[in-house]
Amino acid sequence: MISPRLLEQVPSKCKEGLGLALASDDDGAVMVFHWCNKSLVRIMGFDQADVIGQRATIFVSPDMDQSAHLLTIDKLMRWEHFSVMVRLYKKNGDPVWVTMTWTPLTDPEDGSRWWLCSLIELQSRSTPLKNVIELANDASTNDLVANYTEQIAFLESENRRLRSIATAVTRDSNEDPLTGLSNRRHFEANLSIWISSLRRSGTAFAILYIDLDRFKAINDTLGHEAGDSLLVAVASMLKRITSDSDLVARLGGDEFVILRPLGESALEISGLADVIMQEMSKPFEYGGKLVSCGASVGLAIADENTKNPEEIVGDADTALYHAKSAGRGRWSFFTAEMHTKSLATRHLATELLVACEREEFVPYFQPLVNASTGQITGVEVLVRWSHPTKGLMPPADFLGVAAQMGILAKIDAILFSRLAEAVTYLDKAHTKLSRFAINVSAGRLSDTTLLHEIKVSGIDPTRLTVELVESVYLEQIHSTTSWTLEELREIGVEIAVDDFGTGHASVQGLLQINPDILKIDRQFIQPAAESQRSRALIESLIGIGKSLGLKVVAEGVETEDQAQLARELGCDILQGFYFGKPMAGFDLFKMLNQTSGCLWRSISKLPQVELSIDKLP
């Protein structure tokens, strides 16, 4: 049976043909319909009895467009909210063009996962052309000519498509079809030849690994056609600035490589990197608009002193990562220090996988204090890794590598499980915490499983605050993240913007997100007590927040003077070591009981509380 609370969500989701399908927890593409409305059966020509109990494949025909079918399966497996225009077939065999939208839902009562399917019929493409002979019996001559002309146009379009496919199939297998550069296969074959030549005759060479800096943002904002145009332009530029003795290849996506003989000096290689930087700093024109992209480059050299020339691609990739970490828009040579760091990173990655299996991640808590009363209003939840030999590790030591590995979702799931236990435990203290703030990365905001984890965690969503790093929402917001934020608000989760002012500060970005809370970064708060200029900047940031009706949090408060100043300037909430460092649940429980939740008075220092670093029981 479908719970009434789940059905209450349906009218707000879609007003067209609707169906609710119960999905498998393991695979979002496996589902069975349990309910549909009259509009859906009208569009598809089915009876409700034909739909209930059937999988969604009841609407799929053998000649369904393969790309649309694969896209649909991929999105369903990833639990993503999406729409696709596709041709389906009614029960009687008649085709019907529809916009199909899939929205993931979670039943609040039992945590079961569902899909809400919405179908909107597209009248302008509702049926394909009939056979010309059939038209003669029921259409005027003008209609016959018009439909015949349309059919010819359709057949010509199909012929062009088939010729394009044939061209792609017969094209040289060594060529990237979009840019005309060498593809990965051709590059790897030539690299083996160059390595053999190095071993045989000592012919040294270099590799330049190039990655575009803002390619994803351009793809998301201007579309894939703009992205493809940019890739073609970059390929043309690389061919123009390289010589015939170089090999230029596109490895895939926005990654390019150049193989070049070393020549007399490595300065020639760095000079080529400089030219690439200069060329990529120029704006790219698309659709009458100038678009900035930029690139980062990693360089590595294979010569007679290189022990493992087979690893040169990995070395260049490591140098590329170093260039991006240093701020993008630059190049970096691979060094022995990078090699040592790379080995350490690989070892850390192995340990992180084991840590996920053993669930070694625990929540720590830092107080958030009301600036007017000094009373604790909530806590920020921070992850710690309880390492078996290194002890308690802060997030800065492992989250970067975890993000590269794509395991943040696993760590978050472990943290949510531990947080639910901690909330139950902390609620037994004399002072009850009203809010628990959790940090969310860009990737997690695009992952709809975040919503599912919150809904099934057992924690009241109205006690949760999701904190977004400013660069996340300004650079990477798109339809999926917007939908996730809307769903979070709908269930009562507060939205906070963290570290405001440290990235590309934008009021427009704030309007897009429409947060409840604005957190001013510590680098502005800490010098404000001695610097009039810093104080004026903080007043401006607070003014932005207040003009939008937001609560303002001062981060990094470490002294009484900073606390007093932040309150006087208009901050609503204070956070920092002055009120307490991140602590285990046991220590927070003790603090709440010893202070009755009052952590600060403007005329006195914070009460001294003896705390141990015990783990959560």
Side-chain angles (χ1 to χ4, degrees):
M1 294 295 291
I2 302 171
S3 71
R5 291 184 62 188
L6 181 61
L7 285 176
E8 286 173 3
Q9 301 179 49
V10 173
S12 65
K13 302 297 179 183
C14 187
K15 298 179 181 179
E16 307 301 331
L18 300 175
L20 271 174
L22 177 62
S24 165
D25 283 335
D26 299 324
D27 189 341
V30 177
M31 71 188 79
V32 175
F33 278 110
H34 281 238
W35 175 86
C36 66
N37 67 354
K38 293 181 180 179
S39 295
L40 184 138
V41 296
R42 173 186 58 78
I43 293 171
M44 298 306 303
F46 284 84
D47 295 327
Q48 284 188 322
D50 296 326
V51 178
I52 305 305
Q54 298 296 320
R55 290 187 58 180
T57 50
I58 188 176
F59 298 146
V60 178
S61 63
D63 66 340
M64 182 179 180
D65 180 73
Q66 187 177 17
S67 61
H69 191 194
L70 292 176
L71 173 65
T72 302
I73 295 298
D74 181 67
K75 296 289 187 181
L76 290 172
M77 291 179 68
R78 294 174 183 270
W79 294 99
E80 293 185 9
H81 170 77
F82 69 98
S83 297
V84 63
M85 187 175 71
V86 67
R87 181 178 62 187
L88 303 178
Y89 285 87
K90 298 184 178 183
K91 184 179 181 180
N92 63 8
D94 290 342
V96 55
W97 280 92
V98 299
T99 296
M100 177 188 292
T101 300
W102 293 90
T103 302
L105 302 175
T106 301
D107 190 329
E109 294 187 359
D110 59 14
S112 58
R113 308 184 77 166
W114 295 75
W115 283 107
L116 172 64
C117 175
S118 164
L119 299 182
I120 300 175
E121 185 175 358
L122 303 176
Q123 298 296 336
S124 60
R125 301 185 66 176
S126 59
T127 58
L129 293 170
K130 296 182 179 179
N131 185 283
V132 176
I133 297 176
E134 296 174 329
L135 285 169
N137 297 324
D138 58 8
S140 68
T141 302
N142 289 337
D143 290 338
L144 176 61
V145 172
N147 282 286
Y148 183 60
T149 302
E150 187 176 348
Q151 187 178 43
I152 290 175
F154 172 75
L155 292 175
E156 288 178 345
S157 174
E158 282 295 288
N159 279 335
R160 287 194 297 272
R161 186 177 69 86
L162 292 174
R163 281 198 300 270
S164 176
I165 293 173
T167 301
V169 170
T170 57
R171 183 182 291 129
D172 188 347
S173 61
N174 292 330
E175 183 179 303
D176 174 56
L178 176 64
T179 63
L181 299 177
S182 294
N183 59 16
R184 180 183 288 272
R185 176 182 176 277
H186 192 223
F187 162 74
E188 291 176 348
N190 276 268
L191 178 61
S192 297
I193 295 173
W194 287 43
I195 291 174
S196 297
S197 178
L198 169 64
R199 293 190 183 283
R200 185 177 59 256
S201 57
T203 306
F205 65 92
I207 182 172
L208 294 86
Y209 204 132
I210 305 157
D211 185 79
L212 307 189
D213 287 336
R214 296 186 64 252
F215 181 73
K216 185 178 185 303
I218 292 172
N219 248 350
D220 290 343
T221 55
L222 298 181
H224 291 288
E225 288 187 5
D228 287 348
S229 296
L230 173 60
L231 294 174
V232 171
V234 171
S236 177
M237 177 272 291
L238 292 177
K239 285 188 284 188
R240 174 169 51 82
I241 66 174
T242 52
S243 62
D244 293 339
S245 60
D246 300 335
L247 175 70
V248 185
R250 178 188 174 215
L251 298 186
D254 61 339
E255 296 181 342
F256 299 84
V257 290
I258 300 174
L259 279 177
R260 164 167 284 202
L262 185 56
E264 297 296 327
S265 170
L267 288 176
E268 185 182 340
I269 306 302
S270 61
L272 178 58
D274 284 333
V275 174
I276 294 172
M277 292 295 97
Q278 293 170 9
E279 292 290 332
M280 290 303 302
S281 66
K282 299 175 183 177
F284 160 70
E285 185 175 353
Y286 178 78
K289 298 179 179 180
L290 294 178
V291 181
S292 297
C293 181
S296 300
V297 182
L299 299 86
I301 291 176
D303 56 22
E304 57 187 7
N305 297 319
T306 304
K307 294 181 179 179
N308 299 300
E310 292 84 3
E311 297 179 1
I312 187 171
V313 177
D315 294 344
D317 189 30
T318 299
L320 172 64
Y321 176 77
H322 182 268
K324 282 188 173 291
S325 300
R328 301 184 180 184
R330 62 189 67 203
W331 58 263
S332 178
F333 258 118
F334 178 76
T335 64
E337 182 183 353
M338 289 182 195
H339 178 67
T340 302
K341 188 175 180 180
S342 177
L343 292 177
T345 298
R346 293 176 193 173
H347 180 66
L348 179 62
T350 301
E351 289 189 309
L352 278 169
L353 292 176
V354 175
C356 286
E357 292 179 4
R358 296 177 177 175
E359 299 188 350
E360 295 174 348
F361 303 99
V362 296
Y364 264 52
F365 308 90
Q366 187 171 33
L368 298 166
V369 176
N370 185 300
S372 298
T373 66
Q375 197 74 17
I376 188 169
T377 64
V379 290
E380 180 176 353
V381 182
L382 303 165
V383 65
R384 295 291 187 269
W385 179 4
S386 182
H387 195 282
T389 58
K390 299 177 182 178
L392 208 63
M393 295 177 62
D397 289 354
F398 62 88
L399 280 189
V401 175
Q404 294 177 50
M405 297 170 64
I407 61 172
L408 286 180
K410 292 183 179 179
I411 294 176
D412 283 351
I414 295 169
L415 197 66
F416 265 122
S417 173
R418 296 291 177 86
L419 179 58
E421 298 172 8
V423 171
T424 301
Y425 169 71
L426 292 169
D427 280 349
K428 297 176 183 178
H430 298 328
T431 302
K432 185 173 181 179
L433 299 171
S434 59
R435 284 279 175 178
F436 292 82
I438 56 176
N439 292 285
V440 174
S441 66
R444 293 264 37 217
L445 197 61
S446 301
D447 181 0
T448 52
T449 58
L450 173 67
L451 276 169
H452 178 68
E453 289 170 5
I454 289 176
K455 291 177 179 178
V456 302
S457 67
I459 304 171
D460 182 358
T462 62
R463 298 180 68 184
L464 289 177
T465 300
V466 164
E467 294 191 0
L468 313 177
V469 177
E470 184 191 18
S471 59
V472 168
Y473 76 83
L474 287 180
E475 294 184 4
Q476 304 189 37
I477 184 169
H478 48 74
S479 58
T480 302
T481 54
S482 296
W483 180 84
T484 302
L485 289 171
E486 183 180 337
E487 291 292 304
L488 287 170
R489 288 193 191 89
E490 189 174 310
I491 61 176
V493 176
E494 273 189 335
I495 307 298
V497 172
D498 199 5
D499 300 334
F500 184 70
T502 59
H504 308 285
S506 166
V507 176
Q508 182 181 0
L510 285 176
L511 294 175
Q512 275 186 285
I513 292 298
N514 188 27
D516 305 289
I517 299 170
L518 192 67
K519 301 189 73 174
I520 299 177
D521 189 71
R522 66 182 65 246
Q523 66 178 279
F524 302 109
I525 298 295
Q526 291 179 352
E530 292 80 28
S531 170
Q532 183 62 40
R533 188 175 181 181
S534 296
R535 192 174 310 175
L537 181 56
I538 293 175
E539 288 178 327
S540 299
L541 296 176
I542 293 173
I544 291 173
K546 294 298 184 179
S547 67
L548 296 175
L550 311 181
K551 289 183 286 187
V552 179
V553 180
E555 295 185 285
V557 177
E558 296 185 357
T559 66
E560 173 70 20
D561 289 343
Q562 291 171 2
Q564 293 282 10
L565 179 61
R567 185 184 67 172
E568 291 169 5
L569 292 177
C571 290
D572 304 291
I573 299 172
L574 310 177
Q575 179 182 0
F577 286 0
Y578 186 58
F579 310 106
K581 294 182 179 181
M583 62 191 78
F586 176 82
D587 297 321
L588 177 60
F589 186 92
K590 185 187 293 185
M591 171 184 274
L592 293 174
N593 284 338
Q594 290 183 358
T595 64
S596 298
C598 185
L599 303 188
W600 176 60
R601 294 183 179 87
S602 61
I603 59 174
S604 64
K605 298 284 185 179
L606 177 71
Q608 297 296 314
V609 180
E610 220 175 278
L611 298 175
S612 62
I613 309 299
D614 293 336
K615 295 182 181 178
L616 194 66

